[in-house]
Amino acid sequence: SAQLNDLAVRAGLKYFGTALGEGTINSDSQYAAILNDKTMFGQLVPENGMKWETTEPSQGQFSYGSGDITANQAKKNGQGLRCHTLVWHSQLPSWVSGGSWTKATLTSVMETHINNVMGHYKGQCYAWDVVNEAVSDDAVWRDSVFLKTFGTDYFALSFNLAKKADPNTKLYYNDYNLEYNGAKTDKAVELVKLVQAAGAPIDGVGFQAHLIVGSTPSRANLATALKRFTALGLEVAYTELDIRHESLPASSAAAATQGNDFANVVGSCLDVAGCVGVTVWGFTDKHSWIPGTFPGEGDAMLYDASYNKKAAWTSVSSVLAAK
Ligand code: G3I
């Protein structure tokens, strides 16, 4: 039977992709076998390897070993690549977050970083997450060294620097909890409008979609949230999809609900012209960031910890096949 990327492409999406865990690919052959199958995953994104703390841990010292794991894997397998992420408050080395900068000196630091990292991967990235998670959960601009130094001017600055460094990749704003179409979504719309009003280039908005079983919005409501950004002339994508159980082990009823929730997310992308693809943030319950951040929660993926396809996998394949 057909696998997810093939089904997604047949349904009109550009790709169905996954994050690659750099610590996992060389230590788990079952993980590698599924990840390397381009009929299953047509695009890869590095879970950690292209972040600032990894690529420029001290000023001017660039390191690409970890990011190259994903880039090389994608190249070898004929898969696409999403690139993640340039300007983010988290996994930002302390020499940046704790520095005392003027606008001029921080601009130069950002320019050097963006030129080097985007330059290293030039021509390989379908898209770059240029600015990540700049809106806080209570829907104000997230505090960071960038906000402190520039105010909201760092949004347009980041996109302008990215465009100069690689003019041929799609430039994205990427965030979570945009799916609920609440105050945080309003603020992300405001961010896009600020960038556009400054005449800076922005191509897309990534909906991370770190969601919860039973609390995932309906397919129609998800589509409504996506359309707020396509209405501004942008493409959209689900970039980090996972749907976690809040209590474990999951009953079979909860597993079925998880399947419906996954189908609603993928279905909403199919319903919106301008939604280009879906990326899951990992694919097996064996390896996930979730228990580290939400103790006791998890099993948020399409495969169980023994690499059996879950109800969620079947639901995703069905919704893609039905298009
Ligand atoms: O690399 C070190 C390793 O040397 C050390 O032994 C180990 C001990 O804790 O830590 C390792 O670093 C961890 C890193 O992942 C690599 O595994 C960090 O502690 C851990 O905090 C880090 O977590 C990552 C998290 O981003 C950090 O913010 C997750 O793997 C990654 O899945 C997660 O991804 C983010 C997206 O980038 C943005 N959106 C939200 C998403 C989920 O939080």
Side-chain angles (χ1 to χ4, degrees):
S1 72
Q3 308 292 21
L4 300 181
N5 185 64
D6 281 358
L7 289 168
V9 170
R10 256 181 256 164
L13 302 183
K14 290 191 199 287
Y15 60 86
F16 193 95
T18 185
L20 179 153
E22 294 84 2
T24 309
I25 184 78
N26 290 320
S27 61
D28 181 339
S29 59
Q30 281 177 292
Y31 178 92
I34 296 172
L35 183 128
N36 287 335
D37 177 1
K38 72 171 179 190
T39 71
M40 187 69 74
F41 297 119
Q43 190 175 81
L44 303 180
V45 56
E47 187 171 356
N48 286 294
M50 294 186 190
K51 294 170 179 178
W52 198 317
E53 71 175 7
T54 307
T55 52
E56 194 186 7
S58 49
Q59 188 165 11
Q61 305 294 306
F62 290 90
S63 128
Y64 295 110
S66 183
D68 286 354
I69 294 172
T70 306
N72 292 341
Q73 205 73 23
K75 213 179 293 172
K76 179 174 73 101
N77 296 332
Q79 295 158 309
L81 185 65
R82 276 196 104 251
C83 294
H84 171 82
T85 178
L86 296 167
V87 178
W88 186 28
H89 70 281
S90 178
Q91 291 178 289
L92 184 65
S94 55
W95 71 264
V96 182
S97 57
S100 59
W101 309 107
T102 64
K103 287 183 189 183
T105 57
L106 189 54
T107 298
S108 153
V109 161
M110 290 165 69
E111 185 169 25
T112 302
H113 182 75
I114 289 171
N115 281 343
N116 267 273
V117 178
M118 290 185 90
H120 183 79
Y121 295 108
K122 200 168 186 167
Q124 298 177 63
C125 305
Y126 166 73
W128 259 108
D129 292 328
V130 176
V131 177
N132 198 44
E133 300 173 4
V135 180
S136 76
D137 291 344
D138 45 352
V140 297
W141 302 126
R142 189 187 291 277
D143 190 32
S144 71
V145 67
F146 306 110
L147 188 73
K148 279 200 180 78
T149 306
F150 299 105
T152 57
D153 289 350
Y154 85 87
F155 306 144
L157 172 66
S158 303
F159 282 95
N160 278 323
L161 291 172
K163 188 72 179 180
K164 270 195 280 169
D166 184 353
N168 296 317
T169 188
K170 306 266 186 200
L171 306 177
Y172 269 63
Y173 177 66
N174 190 53
D175 210 335
Y176 60 89
N177 287 359
L178 304 182
E179 300 79 22
Y180 302 102
N181 208 5
K184 185 163 178 177
T185 315
D186 297 345
K187 202 71 176 167
V189 167
E190 191 183 331
L191 185 154
V192 169
K193 289 182 173 167
L194 282 172
V195 173
Q196 291 179 328
I202 177 169
D203 301 301
V205 170
F207 280 53
Q208 293 185 8
H210 295 295
L211 298 168
I212 297 168
V213 172
S215 304
T216 298
S218 70
R219 178 167 172 167
N221 287 348
L222 288 162
T224 299
L226 295 172
K227 284 181 189 159
R228 296 190 64 189
F229 297 93
T230 58
L232 299 174
L234 304 184
E235 64 176 52
V236 291
Y238 288 109
T239 53
E240 305 184 11
L241 173 61
D242 48 37
I243 309 183
R244 64 184 183 271
H245 292 282
E246 287 184 307
S247 70
L248 293 172
S251 65
S252 61
T257 302
Q258 184 183 48
N260 287 333
D261 289 344
F262 265 99
N264 284 337
V265 175
V266 174
S268 71
C269 188
L270 297 175
D271 292 345
V272 174
C275 186
V276 296
V278 176
T279 303
V280 288
W281 203 244
F283 55 90
T284 165
D285 293 338
K286 189 174 179 184
H287 305 289
S288 169
W289 67 280
I290 290 170
T293 304
F294 300 100
E297 304 185 27
D299 286 4
M301 308 301 184
L302 298 175
Y303 291 80
D304 69 18
S306 309
Y307 292 101
N308 301 302
K309 290 172 176 169
K310 291 162 59 177
W313 193 100
T314 308
S315 295
V316 169
S317 77
S318 302
V319 78
L320 290 170
K323 172 77 180 183

